[in-house]
Amino acid sequence: MACKPNVIHSFLDSPNIIAAALRLSWVPTRLIWGIRSSSMELRHYSLARRVGAALERRLASVPDLIVCNSKAGRDVILSRGYPAHSSLVVANGFDVARFAEARSERAKMRASWGADNTTFLIGMVARLDPKKSHETFFAAAARAAERSDDIRFVLVADRNSPRLSTLLEHSKIRDRFIVLPPQRSIEMIYAGLDLNTLSSAYGEGFPNVVAEGMAAGCPTVATDTGDTRLVIGRPDLVVPPRDPEALADAWLRVSELSQAEQEAIGRAAAERIASEFSVNAMVTRMAEIYSGLGPRCNE
């Protein structure tokens, strides 16, 4: 049976371009573009990616709506000439209960990593993309390790990446790293951490890993990219991009707090995600948007 959707909702540049081309050619349906990033530094990416960004800009008048997942992302597309009247923001939403339940597995996860209660575990979940700035993470790790013997690092990434292999090879603290492959049940990783972090240099929209760590009740420190500052809600836990010293300092400030103080930060973080960025709020808003677009054009 043929699928005749009322709305096509595409995400990211290539799908957005394809969906716009289909609509221009013959598909009579409503179209929403999803924008998930902010200010990208495209010189770090392929020619195809740069051409795609330019083409997406040229086609920005085609969709009925453009839904950004961050205020930073909307600001960027408006500065590039995208239509303001059809551009809006719907923040990502999270199932806090799912992440809270995983906390019961904390001891099990830490034991699997060989970490006892005296070890302070700092983790980052990030694919090997230039914007994630793993170089900043490794440089900050080296600085933090010089000042504390109890810190270890959990990195969830593609373990087969040549770039990651090079970073680990050049690191003088290789024995401090626990490197894990991408995970299906990512909430289990956050459950075992003492601190969640993200070292991105640019391009973030709404960084999911920041909110996921917070939803898990894990203190989170991240760089000031995209809507990270808005999500975290605490200036002392947000540092400038590409500043390993500042990132290490923020990690260490949290590590030096009492357990009760760290737990209080984690609880407040989880409460913030539940109240400001719940999955129910996101679904409700998107349902309103879909309904407001009306029936498909060929009905």
Side-chain angles (χ1 to χ4, degrees):
M1 183 173 64
C3 177
K4 298 181 179 180
N6 290 335
V7 178
I8 293 176
H9 190 167
S10 57
F11 293 86
L12 305 177
D13 47 7
S14 295
N16 287 345
I17 291 167
I18 293 169
L22 288 172
R23 185 177 189 190
L24 286 171
S25 60
W26 60 273
V27 179
T29 189
R30 300 294 191 181
L31 175 61
I32 300 176
W33 273 6
I35 302 294
R36 315 293 288 180
S37 60
S38 58
S39 185
M40 291 292 292
E41 294 182 3
L42 291 173
R43 67 181 184 275
H44 299 297
Y45 297 86
S46 67
L47 175 60
R49 181 75 179 273
R50 297 195 294 273
V51 170
L55 185 55
E56 186 182 46
R57 187 184 312 174
R58 292 290 298 272
L59 294 170
S61 63
V62 175
D64 297 282
L65 289 176
I66 301 173
V67 177
C68 306
N69 70 344
S70 67
K71 293 181 179 179
R74 184 174 188 270
D75 289 344
V76 167
I77 65 169
L78 294 186
S79 73
R80 294 174 178 169
Y82 285 51
H85 71 276
S86 59
S87 302
L88 63 151
V89 177
V90 179
N92 293 351
F94 302 85
D95 180 359
V96 175
R98 168 193 166 197
F99 290 92
E101 290 168 2
R103 295 294 286 182
S104 63
E105 302 296 323
R106 176 176 172 80
K108 176 182 176 181
M109 293 305 300
R110 293 176 69 87
S112 71
W113 300 333
D116 58 26
N117 290 332
T118 65
T119 303
F120 190 81
L121 290 178
I122 299 174
M124 186 167 82
V125 180
R127 68 185 185 278
L128 270 295
D129 185 293
K131 75 177 184 179
K132 302 297 182 181
S133 191
H134 282 77
E135 291 81 2
T136 297
F137 176 82
F138 274 83
R143 287 166 169 78
E146 288 176 355
R147 295 157 60 183
S148 174
D149 293 330
D150 299 326
I151 289 178
R152 293 180 69 191
F153 305 95
V154 178
L155 187 59
V156 179
D158 179 5
R159 293 193 294 187
N160 297 320
S161 165
R163 182 160 161 250
L164 179 58
S165 297
T166 298
L167 288 168
L168 288 167
E169 181 181 343
H170 292 166
S171 173
K172 296 180 180 179
I173 53 168
R174 176 64 182 86
D175 60 327
R176 299 279 195 107
F177 284 95
I178 301 163
V179 182
L180 304 172
Q183 307 285 307
R184 287 185 178 273
S185 300
I186 197 63
E187 66 274 14
M188 303 294 286
I189 301 299
Y190 298 118
L193 301 177
D194 294 296
L195 178 67
N196 175 48
T197 198
L198 185 64
S199 60
S200 293
Y202 58 85
E204 294 291 349
F206 189 113
N208 283 341
V209 298
V210 168
E212 287 173 351
M214 293 172 66
C218 188
T220 298
V221 169
T223 50
D224 193 5
T225 56
D227 276 7
T228 295
R229 180 176 292 271
L230 173 65
V231 177
I232 291 180
R234 286 187 52 153
D236 59 320
L237 299 179
V238 181
V239 302
R242 297 187 174 101
D243 190 339
E245 192 68 42
L247 187 58
D249 285 346
W251 292 347
L252 289 165
R253 284 196 302 272
V254 175
S255 74
E256 292 164 358
L257 297 174
S258 68
Q259 183 176 348
E261 290 171 318
Q262 292 174 22
E263 290 174 352
I265 292 174
R267 284 195 301 272
E271 290 168 3
R272 179 171 178 79
I273 299 303
S275 64
E276 302 292 332
F277 305 107
S278 73
V279 68
N280 287 339
M282 179 191 70
V283 169
T284 298
R285 181 65 181 119
M286 286 309 308
E288 292 171 351
I289 290 170
Y290 293 151
S291 298
L293 284 176
R296 23 176 218 274
C297 301
N298 63 342
E299 283 192 341

